[in-house]
Amino acid sequence: MKLGVVGLPNVGKSTLFNAITKAGAQAANYPFCTIEPNTGVVAVPDERLDVLAEMYNPEKYTPAIIEFVDIAGLVRGASKGEGLGNKFLSHIREVDAIVHVVRCFEDENITHVDGTIDPVRDMETINLELIYADIETLQKRLDKTRKLAQSGDSKSKAEVNVMDKIMAALDKGLPARTVELTEDEEAIAKGLFLLTSKPVLYAANIAEDEIGEGQDDLPLVKKVREAAAAEGAEVLVISARIEEELAQLEDDERKEYLADLGLETSGLDRLVQTSYKLLGLISFLTAGPKEVRAWTITKGMTAPQAAGKIHSDFERGFIRAETVAYEDLKANGSMNVCKEKGLIRSEGKDYIVKDGDVMLFRFNV
């Protein structure tokens, strides 16, 4: 899973990226200090793996991973090549989802590219540039596809119908992801590779002293939530500075600091959880003395498809999946006890894998 971290200059985007990945992307008080996208791969926090590791004492501990890409700041006119517009747009095309950092804090020492703090205006600035880029993409494709549709090609007619629906939304300033489409139309839309089709998570970056109880009632945060709801996007309230401080602490100190702030989990934990939800992802687990591991799959995948994530031979020669729910394994302490209690199920090719399933695949090639 690759998430692109975007935002206008000086909204805290690179500070947040630094905190999350500890990758040390340069953060400075001037636009475009992030010119090439900085990439950081981080482990997905999953306490279930910790419990399994205590149970099995494995040689290897392998969490799921998530890739964050810190993408250069953007200004108005990016779709026309202003600032670093072309680079910004090409880098966004390569990510699965967008984490859009918006500034919800006042700080007279940190300049804003537009002079004042207005997160909804900032959201609109980037969204409009992505919409303009998509309109240009669609216009080029529509001209060719219409000619084929007029010659009687049924596939082209279906494509034109979908593109017309999306273009109508874009013309109103709405992203492609807000357009209601049938399953067949969704498949066509996916092939258009539009920027505004990508899922978006808005990270409302608030001041250090505003984090904790009452953070959701802050006026600027409320405005961000209202604007995000209108376009079907998720919102995460976060303080990039707090996350930066948390990143420097050991586990025990981090837990203590979070408790002092009145938070149960860090911004990273919440960012990952929300991103999983955004992309429709879940994790299944494998466990044994050699390795405990989390595997990321798309919700709705069958047992053979999940097996294929481990190795293509597992999917090709799939026989069955011996499966136990993580909570049952945790409660009973071992696979043997679960087996005695009849909690281990033998699942076939049609089984839809659930989040937290602990699985052992039987296959024959």
Side-chain angles (χ1 to χ4, degrees), residues 217-283:
D217 296 321
L218 295 168
L220 292 180
V221 170
K222 282 184 174 179
K223 285 185 178 180
V224 171
R225 285 199 186 282
E226 285 169 15
E231 58 172 273
E234 298 280 342
V235 177
L236 175 75
V237 181
I238 201 164
S239 167
R241 290 289 182 202
I242 292 284
E243 293 304 316
E244 195 173 41
E245 291 170 25
L246 285 168
Q248 311 305 319
L249 302 175
E250 297 298 325
D251 282 351
D252 289 346
E253 292 174 315
R254 192 180 298 124
K255 285 175 185 172
E256 196 175 316
Y257 189 21
L258 284 169
D260 289 344
L261 293 168
L263 299 175
E264 290 182 13
T265 53
S266 71
L268 172 59
D269 289 4
R270 290 180 291 121
L271 182 55
V272 169
Q273 287 162 2
T274 312
S275 300
Y276 263 52
K277 178 183 170 187
L278 200 62
L279 289 169
L281 300 175
I282 61 171
S283 293

Side-chain angles (χ1 to χ4, degrees), residues 91-359:
H91 291 143
I92 281 195
R93 289 192 195 282
E94 296 167 10
V95 301
D96 299 308
I98 298 167
V99 177
H100 183 166
V101 184
V102 288
R103 180 170 168 177
C104 294
F105 66 89
E106 298 278 356
D107 188 333
E108 60 187 25
N109 297 315
I110 301 176
T111 59
H112 189 287
V113 73
D114 286 328
T116 56
I117 308 303
D118 184 344
V120 175
R121 177 200 59 208
D122 295 354
M123 291 161 73
E124 287 171 355
T125 297
I126 286 187
N127 285 339
L128 282 174
E129 294 307 321
L130 300 183
I131 285 168
Y132 294 149
D134 279 350
I135 287 173
E136 191 178 335
T137 299
L138 277 187
Q139 279 173 338
K140 287 178 184 173
R141 187 147 177 174
L142 262 171
D143 292 341
K144 293 177 185 174
T145 314
R146 274 197 209 284
K147 288 175 185 173
L148 289 169
Q150 285 163 1
S151 70
D153 182 65
S154 59
K155 185 183 174 188
S156 297
K157 281 181 182 177
E159 286 180 5
V160 168
N161 181 47
V162 171
M163 285 192 271
D164 281 342
K165 278 187 180 182
I166 293 172
M167 187 66 94
L170 296 175
D171 284 339
K172 291 176 186 172
L174 297 169
R177 64 181 170 274
T178 62
V179 181
E180 285 190 28
L181 300 171
T182 65
E183 201 170 310
D184 290 341
E185 288 173 335
E186 285 279 7
I188 293 170
K190 199 171 182 182
L192 299 173
F193 303 106
L194 298 175
L195 299 174
T196 63
S197 288
K198 293 181 185 292
V200 172
L201 165 62
Y202 288 104
N205 186 18
I206 63 175
E208 292 170 80
D209 58 1
E210 292 177 326
I211 205 80
E213 194 177 341
Q215 63 185 28
D216 291 323
D217 296 321
L218 295 168
L220 292 180
V221 170
K222 282 184 174 179
K223 285 185 178 180
V224 171
R225 285 199 186 282
E226 285 169 15
E231 58 172 273
E234 298 280 342
V235 177
L236 175 75
V237 181
I238 201 164
S239 167
R241 290 289 182 202
I242 292 284
E243 293 304 316
E244 195 173 41
E245 291 170 25
L246 285 168
Q248 311 305 319
L249 302 175
E250 297 298 325
D251 282 351
D252 289 346
E253 292 174 315
R254 192 180 298 124
K255 285 175 185 172
E256 196 175 316
Y257 189 21
L258 284 169
D260 289 344
L261 293 168
L263 299 175
E264 290 182 13
T265 53
S266 71
L268 172 59
D269 289 4
R270 290 180 291 121
L271 182 55
V272 169
Q273 287 162 2
T274 312
S275 300
Y276 263 52
K277 178 183 170 187
L278 200 62
L279 289 169
L281 300 175
I282 61 171
S283 293
F284 75 90
L285 314 168
T286 53
K290 287 196 172 179
E291 183 181 38
V292 297
R293 182 164 182 165
W295 303 84
T296 301
I297 61 168
T298 305
K299 195 174 182 180
M301 272 191 172
T302 61
Q305 289 172 322
K309 288 287 180 181
I310 299 175
H311 197 288
S312 57
D313 284 351
F314 283 30
E315 183 172 6
R316 194 157 53 92
F318 180 89
I319 299 171
R320 66 181 185 277
E322 292 177 9
T323 306
V324 63
Y326 163 77
E327 292 297 340
D328 287 339
L329 180 55
K330 179 185 175 185
N332 289 283
S334 76
M335 290 294 263
N336 285 337
V337 175
C338 288
K339 192 173 279 187
E340 287 167 11
K341 292 187 176 181
L343 296 170
I344 297 178
R345 311 181 308 275
S346 181
E347 301 290 3
K349 291 183 177 180
D350 296 330
Y351 176 68
I352 304 297
V353 179
K354 296 180 179 63
D355 186 54
D357 276 348
V358 183
M359 307 185 83

Side-chain angles (χ1 to χ4, degrees), residues 41-58:
V41 177
V42 297
V44 176
D46 192 336
E47 63 179 20
R48 298 174 301 192
L49 279 187
D50 298 333
V51 172
L52 292 176
E54 282 182 25
M55 205 177 285
Y56 286 96
N57 193 25

Side-chain angles (χ1 to χ4, degrees), residues 66-81:
I66 187 170
E67 189 175 337
F68 288 95
V69 183
D70 183 20
I71 299 173
L74 171 143
V75 291
R76 280 189 189 86
S79 57
K80 301 282 187 288

